Amino acid sequence: MGECPQLRSKAKDVTPLIQEILVEVAKETPEQWQARLEAIAPELIEELSVKKEPDKGLKVLDIEVGKQVVMRFAPNPNGPPTLGSTRGIIVNSEYVKKYGGKFIIRFDDTDPQTKRPMLEAYDWYVDDCKWLGAKPDEIVIASDRIPIYYDYARKLIEMGHAYVCFCDGEDFKKFKDAKQACPHRDVSPQENLKYWDKMLSGEYEEKTAVLRIKTDIDHKDPALRDYGAFRIVKTPHPRHEVGDKYCVWPLLDFEGAIEDHELGMTHIIRGKDLMDSEKRQGYIYKYLGWQYPKTTHWGRVKMHEFGKFSTSGLRKAIEEGEYTGWEDPRLPTIRAIRRRGILPEAIRKFMIELGVGETDISISMDSLYAENRKLVDPIANRYFFVWDPVELEITGTGPCTISPALHPTEDRGCREIEVNNKVYLCKEDVEKLQAGSKLRLKDLYNVEITSLEPLQAKYLGDSMESMKKEKMRIIHWAPMDGVPVKVLSPDGEFTGIAEKQVTSELNKVVQFERFGFCRIDAVGEDVVAYFTHK
RNA sequence: GCUCCGAUAGUGUAGCACGGCCAAUCAUACAGGACUCUCACUCCUGCGACUCGGGUUCGAAUCCCGAUCGGAGCACCA
């Protein structure tokens, strides 16, 4: 019926026929159905066994033929990029890659005061973009382009679409809520130009004047009534190239509106919180005769593991010493994630898998870890690391050297461990032992515990068979010549002893058996490792 | 208060523009099993969802109305 719409009018006639047939079919067994189906339509059976594979990845973009796709990621560099930023970086850049367009990073750093840019963050953003495989084709800094915004402001004033408003914030809100024009709205363009020039020359104090874009003052949505485009800020900008050059700064809706057009943006993908921006900026586009880029929005993202975090909140916590810095493994900054050994490809996949739904979501790092684990597992060498170490003395055997494989399935060679008559065990494992417990020290030999205080055991032989037969627990251990290791993880610090060969794994991700993956971050007096994930 | 979005398994996600092929996809989590000298990896199996109520229709996850819940905007923040 889907294929032949003209049959739809007969739908009612079909129902009783189907009923009849169903009664017939119900009399037979599933085996008979199978046989019958094979006889009349074998291709349907095949179809049943074929798994449906819906196309993965991002939805297709609505593109105009013959037009190069231009997209952007537009952060305010008032803190380091976080996992949240990666969504903007990856989704936008991925589309650009897919359609062979241009990817721009634009720093919306037009607030020298409340969201004051952080100088180091500019480089961090660019650097992290590159690391994520999203090297920007162009870098734009809004604070370098203030004169452009001034030009358009002047143009809009001349056209009578913008005015300098001297209302106090609260007064204006009253007018706005009552759908009433404030006294400054109907001043002539000539007069407004005079006021605008005075604003620019610094004659007015902060908060005494603001340039507004005229929209519909009686629009049913209060969010769209005459919004601010420029305000006076006398705090110098942190960038020395800019400093105190300007005392009039554009607000986001204005700056973004102008730039998206100036830079030739074809598509914008951004947070749902900026949905109204499109409507507000639409007025500017209408006045200037521009075409608004195509927009897509995504909902709010919360991460189970990190809860609410704001740049300013984090900065405060770092200053107070709660965190060691922006790279503290407990933080969701890209710098921290990198340091922990999460690979960019894992983040890309994770973000693309998320898609761009408008639903607000609350996700867990588990999926990201699972993605990363698959990438890291084949390339991570295995080592023993014993946390909360307890010494075990072993009698009944002499010194030996063993050479376990660096990887259980990949051919990555071996490491060497020397054992005399003592090894370290995890306190956690020791607590489960009793005198008489038999266990397998992985890759070494079998022992039987003879005493708990002090912890002693006797050698029971190397046999794998007897270990299997007696169902001994296999635990890992560390040699006495191991190196002290400090593991920094989101759940706190672990200290212990690892095989000394880990010192050759600087900057690499290894797996500490029965503990998890870690990135070896520093090799000095002791080894510092960042916990990646289980 | 006004306005605008959204709602599919524990968590994400596909399907919704154009209603039948949906007994609803995939991933992850969880449970069981196989493999393994790691609690890792891999492989099998299982688990589990269309927010609710009306309407349109022969037929609704899909269209319409309402309710509920969640989020956002109404800044001289981005």
Side-chain angles (χ1 to χ4, degrees):
Chain A
M1 230 175 271
E3 285 164 18
C4 311
Q6 67 274 19
L7 294 179
R8 280 179 198 170
S9 54
K10 308 239 176 163
K12 259 185 181 146
D13 307 336
V14 176
T15 318
L17 293 173
I18 291 176
Q19 287 296 341
E20 267 176 53
I21 294 166
L22 280 178
V23 170
E24 286 298 309
V25 171
K27 286 177 187 161
E28 297 184 4
T29 63
E31 289 74 33
Q32 281 171 302
W33 297 344
Q34 171 100 24
R36 184 78 198 265
L37 195 55
E38 264 168 39
I40 56 173
E43 70 278 5
L44 288 181
I45 294 183
E46 209 167 301
E47 216 178 291
L48 281 175
S49 61
V50 172
K51 271 191 184 170
K52 285 178 224 164
E53 275 292 335
D55 27 316
K56 289 260 171 129
L58 299 170
K59 281 181 201 148
V60 292
L61 214 53
D62 180 17
I63 49 170
E64 269 179 58
V65 280
K67 210 169 166 187
Q68 190 198 30
V69 169
V70 183
M71 295 178 76
R72 53 158 245 193
F73 169 62
N76 175 7
N78 65 333
T82 62
L83 214 42
S85 320
T86 62
R87 193 177 193 186
I89 297 170
I90 288 166
V91 171
N92 281 294
S93 74
E94 190 68 19
Y95 269 123
V96 166
K97 273 186 192 166
K98 193 168 161 183
Y99 293 102
K102 184 157 79 167
F103 177 57
I104 298 174
I105 181 168
R106 183 182 81 217
F107 291 105
D108 285 347
D109 60 343
T110 54
D111 180 2
Q113 208 159 46
T114 41
K115 289 205 171 165
R116 189 156 228 269
M118 184 177 172
L119 284 179
E120 314 90 294
Y122 291 82
D123 285 341
W124 288 352
Y125 268 101
V126 175
D127 188 46
D128 285 345
C129 281
K130 286 183 191 161
W131 178 74
L132 283 164
K135 186 176 184 289
D137 297 307
E138 196 176 328
I139 299 169
V140 176
I141 302 177
S143 57
D144 276 338
R145 297 159 63 90
I146 303 300
I148 301 176
Y149 314 139
Y150 286 171
D151 283 349
Y152 282 114
R154 179 169 297 274
K155 204 172 276 177
L156 287 166
I157 297 168
E158 283 166 359
M159 294 163 90
H161 295 311
Y163 61 99
V164 177
C165 172
F166 296 96
C167 288
D168 181 77
E170 277 178 41
D171 291 343
F172 183 79
K173 185 171 164 46
K174 276 180 204 149
F175 282 119
K176 187 191 67 187
D177 287 345
K179 298 185 175 181
Q180 275 174 16
C182 85
H184 315 99
R185 194 179 204 257
D186 297 317
V187 172
S188 71
Q190 290 71 29
E191 199 113 343
N192 271 314
L193 284 172
K194 261 192 340 211
Y195 297 146
W196 173 242
D197 285 332
K198 283 191 181 180
M199 260 178 95
L200 293 179
S201 62
E203 276 187 46
Y204 304 133
E205 288 312 304
E206 285 186 11
K207 310 245 174 205
T208 57
V210 51
L211 186 79
R212 289 188 189 285
I213 301 296
K214 272 190 207 173
T215 64
D216 296 319
I217 198 68
D218 57 350
H219 196 286
K220 64 171 182 168
D221 183 349
L224 302 192
R225 299 174 199 152
D226 289 19
Y227 60 92
F230 287 85
R231 84 304 207 183
I232 299 166
V233 179
K234 298 207 168 168
T235 307
H237 196 278
R239 291 180 64 228
H240 72 268
E241 298 93 326
V242 183
D244 57 2
K245 249 187 195 166
Y246 311 106
C247 61
V248 173
W249 287 89
L251 276 324
L252 177 72
D253 278 325
F254 190 87
E255 180 264 331
I258 301 301
E259 285 297 5
D260 284 334
H261 176 264
E262 285 285 307
L263 299 172
M265 227 57 74
T266 55
H267 301 263
I268 299 172
I269 305 182
R270 61 184 166 198
K272 214 168 52 164
D273 49 321
L274 295 177
M275 260 176 160
D276 286 341
S277 281
E278 175 166 358
K279 295 178 195 149
R280 279 192 284 260
Q281 296 178 337
Y283 286 93
I284 297 177
Y285 276 68
K286 194 175 72 188
Y287 298 148
L288 296 172
W290 296 343
Q291 196 196 0
Y292 204 83
K294 297 198 171 82
T295 52
T296 314
H297 299 96
W298 56 58
R300 244 169 64 128
V301 183
K302 253 192 286 185
M303 306 236 38
H304 290 149
E305 286 80 355
F306 298 110
K308 275 187 188 156
F309 54 87
S310 64
T311 307
S312 51
L314 288 184
R315 175 172 295 123
K316 202 167 155 245
I318 289 170
E319 278 161 10
E320 286 168 358
E322 202 179 314
Y323 298 108
T324 56
W326 293 106
E327 301 189 22
D328 189 296
R330 288 166 291 181
L331 296 183
T333 58
I334 303 185
R335 317 190 62 70
I337 298 279
R338 271 173 89 156
R339 200 156 181 186
R340 285 174 52 191
I342 306 282
L343 303 180
E345 198 47 41
I347 303 179
R348 292 189 75 88
K349 275 193 179 158
F350 178 71
M351 287 299 165
I352 290 167
E353 186 89 357
L354 267 193
V356 283
E358 278 185 27
T359 328
D360 299 317
I361 54 176
S362 180
I363 50 175
S364 140
M365 294 285 284
D366 282 354
S367 311
L368 176 60
Y369 292 158
E371 211 67 72
N372 197 65
R373 195 176 292 121
K374 283 173 198 161
L375 297 173
V376 127
D377 186 80
I379 56 170
N381 287 335
R382 270 44 176 185
Y383 293 100
F384 291 147
F385 162 65
V386 164
W387 55 103
D388 298 329
V390 178
E391 272 187 37
L392 168 71
E393 202 182 327
I394 303 158
T395 57
T397 185
C400 64
T401 302
I402 55 159
S403 42
L406 281 167
H407 196 281
T409 52
E410 307 285 317
D411 188 14
R412 301 180 62 85
C414 300
R415 67 236 206 224
E416 285 207 336
I417 316 176
E418 284 174 34
V419 181
N420 198 334
N421 64 333
K422 278 183 178 178
V423 295
Y424 291 110
L425 299 185
C426 279
K427 195 174 158 207
E428 205 179 299
D429 287 324
V430 170
E431 277 164 359
K432 292 174 193 151
L433 298 176
Q434 328 168 352
S437 302
K438 292 176 181 176
L439 57 139
R440 171 74 177 186
L441 299 177
K442 186 172 186 262
D443 298 319
L444 187 60
Y445 43 59
N446 308 330
V447 295
E448 178 177 339
I449 301 298
T450 51
S451 149
L452 290 180
E453 299 270 348
L455 189 63
Q456 289 174 329
K458 68 175 183 207
Y459 172 70
L460 270 191
D462 303 331
S463 161
M464 293 284 296
E465 283 70 42
S466 58
M467 167 228 132
K468 279 182 184 154
K469 208 160 66 192
E470 303 208 33
K471 294 206 170 101
M472 294 180 196
R473 269 179 10 98
I474 300 166
I475 64 167
H476 70 288
W477 47 277
M480 298 312 285
D481 67 351
V483 289
V485 172
K486 189 164 77 175
V487 177
L488 271 36
S489 94
D491 304 316
E493 273 185 35
F494 296 83
T495 49
I497 309 284
E499 295 171 44
K500 59 186 176 193
Q501 284 89 337
V502 297
T503 53
S504 66
E505 297 274 4
L506 185 62
N507 291 329
K508 292 195 181 124
V509 175
V510 299
Q511 190 198 45
F512 287 145
E513 295 200 28
R514 302 213 305 143
F515 180 75
F517 294 91
C518 292
R519 186 181 142 277
I520 304 300
D521 185 72
V523 174
E525 217 147 277
D526 47 6
V527 172
V528 178
Y530 274 64
F531 186 70
T532 313
H533 44 64
K534 268 275 219 230

